[in-house]
C-alpha cells in the first residue's frame, strides 16, 4: 500500500513514517503543509493519504482543507485524518459526499501498529473509520450550527446581536477592523450564509445566535 503522509512536526513525521512502514506500507512522500500535500497526492496517486489537521501557516485546519480540496479534485481519493484534535468545520465537508474511503482518528487513541494497519486497509478499501469522539462532536455540530465557531467568533457574533457596528466591536475587543471583518466572514461561512449586497447575512447570523 502506497501512502502520502502530511505532518508538519519533523519528529512526529519520522515516527509516523516508521509506524506506517511497520504496518507494511510504503511512504512515497512525506510533507509538512497543505499545498505540498495536494501536490504530492496529484503526483503519486497514493492508495491512502494520512493527514494531520494543524499545519503551517496558521496551524488551525490547513490539513483538513487540503484533504477536502484533494477529494474535490479527485473524487474517491482515500484520506485518513490522524490528529490530536477534532475540527468539525471541514470534517463535515470531508464526509459529506458519503463516498467512503475516509477516516478520522485521534492520535492518542491509536495504541498499536495493528490498529493503524486496520484503519489504513479499511480506508484504502473504501470504508469509513471514525473515532467515537469525532462522531460525537460532528453530531453535536449538526444540531448546533454555532458549535463550529471559535470562542472569539462567538464573542463577535454576540456583540453583533447587541447591535454593535464593526467599529464598536473593534473598540470592545481592542482589535483591528480587518480582524473583525475576518471574524465576521468566518461566521458567515460557517453558518452557511452566502454573499449578499445587503445586510441580510448579518441579520440571519444574529437570528441564528438568538434562536440557540
Amino acid at each position: 500500500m502506497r501512502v502520502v503522509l502530511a505532518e508538519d512536526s519533523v519528529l512526529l513525521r519520522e515516527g509516523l513514517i516508521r509506524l506506517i512502514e511497520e504496518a507494511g506500507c510504503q511512504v512515497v512522500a512525506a510533507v509538512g503543509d497543505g499545498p505540498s500535500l495536494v501536490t504530492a497526492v496529484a503526483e503519486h496517486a497514493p492508495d491512502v493519504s494520512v493527514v494531520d489537521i494543524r499545519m503551517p501557516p496558521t496551524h488551525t485546519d490547513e490539513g483538513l482543507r487540503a484533504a477536502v480540496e484533494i477529494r474535490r479534485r479527485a473524487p474517491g481519493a482515500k484520506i485518513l485524518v490522524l490528529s490530536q484534535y477534532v475540527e468539525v468545520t471541514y470534517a463535515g465537508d470531508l464526509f459529506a459526499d458519503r463516498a467512503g474511503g475516509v477516516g478520522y482518528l485521534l492520535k492518542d487513541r491509536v495504541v498499536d501498529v495493528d490498529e493503524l494497519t486496520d484503519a489504513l486497509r479499511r480506508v484504502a478499501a473504501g470504508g469509513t473509520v471514525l473515532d467515537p469522539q469525532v462522531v460525537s462532536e460532528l453530531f453535536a455540530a449538526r444540531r448546533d450550527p454555532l458549535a463550529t465557531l471559535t470562542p472569539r467568533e462567538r464573542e463577535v457574533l454576540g456583540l453583533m446581536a447587541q447591535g454593535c457596528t464593526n467599529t464598536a466591536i473593534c473598540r470592545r475587543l481592542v482589535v483591528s477592523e480587518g480582524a473583525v471583518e475576518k471574524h465576521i466572514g468566518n461566521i458567515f461561512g460557517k453558518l452557511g450564509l452566502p454573499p449578499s449586497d445587503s445586510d441580510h447575512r448579518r441579520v440571519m447570523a444574529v437570528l441564528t445566535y438568538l434562536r440557540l
Side-chain angles (χ1 to χ4, degrees):
M1 188 186 307
R2 301 168 68 254
V3 175
V4 164
L5 171 64
E7 166 62 64
D8 69 299
S9 167
V10 175
L11 291 177
L12 285 176
R13 186 163 64 235
E14 290 302 315
L16 283 170
I17 289 172
R18 292 179 184 176
L19 280 177
I20 291 168
E21 290 181 343
E22 282 183 32
C25 303
Q26 176 190 6
V27 178
V28 295
V31 300
D33 60 75
S36 296
L37 169 62
V38 174
T39 300
V41 171
E43 178 181 350
H44 297 281
D47 298 301
V48 183
S49 296
V50 177
V51 182
D52 187 26
I53 291 177
R54 300 189 176 185
M55 293 191 290
T58 67
H59 295 279
T60 53
D61 54 15
E62 284 83 355
L64 266 182
R65 286 192 279 119
V68 170
E69 175 65 15
I70 288 168
R71 296 273 284 195
R72 185 189 68 79
R73 295 187 182 189
K78 309 301 190 294
I79 305 286
L80 174 60
V81 175
L82 191 60
S83 181
Q84 291 177 314
Y85 312 95
V86 179
E87 172 52 65
V88 298
T89 306
Y90 286 93
D93 294 339
L94 188 60
F95 290 94
D97 59 14
R98 301 183 181 180
V102 180
Y104 196 139
L105 296 178
L106 299 182
K107 289 177 180 176
D108 59 0
R109 294 177 187 255
V110 179
V111 297
D112 55 38
V113 174
D114 290 340
E115 185 174 354
L116 178 59
T117 303
D118 179 65
L120 287 168
R121 288 177 177 168
R122 287 166 60 189
V123 170
T128 300
V129 178
L130 273 172
D131 187 282
Q133 184 176 334
V134 176
V135 174
S136 175
E137 297 201 25
L138 284 174
F139 182 70
R142 293 185 73 175
R143 291 184 297 171
D144 177 6
L146 300 185
T148 61
L149 302 184
T150 65
R152 176 63 91 180
E153 288 163 359
R154 281 175 173 265
E155 193 172 10
V156 170
L157 182 53
L159 291 172
M160 289 166 59
Q162 295 174 33
C164 294
T165 64
N166 287 12
T167 301
I169 295 173
C170 291
R171 289 198 298 265
R172 292 281 291 273
L173 300 182
V174 194
V175 295
S176 69
E177 188 164 348
V180 170
E181 290 174 354
K182 182 177 179 180
H183 287 313
I184 292 174
N186 289 340
I187 290 167
F188 291 156
K190 291 178 179 181
L191 297 185
L193 300 173
S196 170
D197 293 332
S198 68
D199 287 333
H200 178 68
R201 288 200 296 173
R202 197 178 187 99
V203 172
M204 294 303 295
V206 169
L207 287 175
T208 300
Y209 176 81
L210 295 176
R211 280 199 300 265
L212 295 166

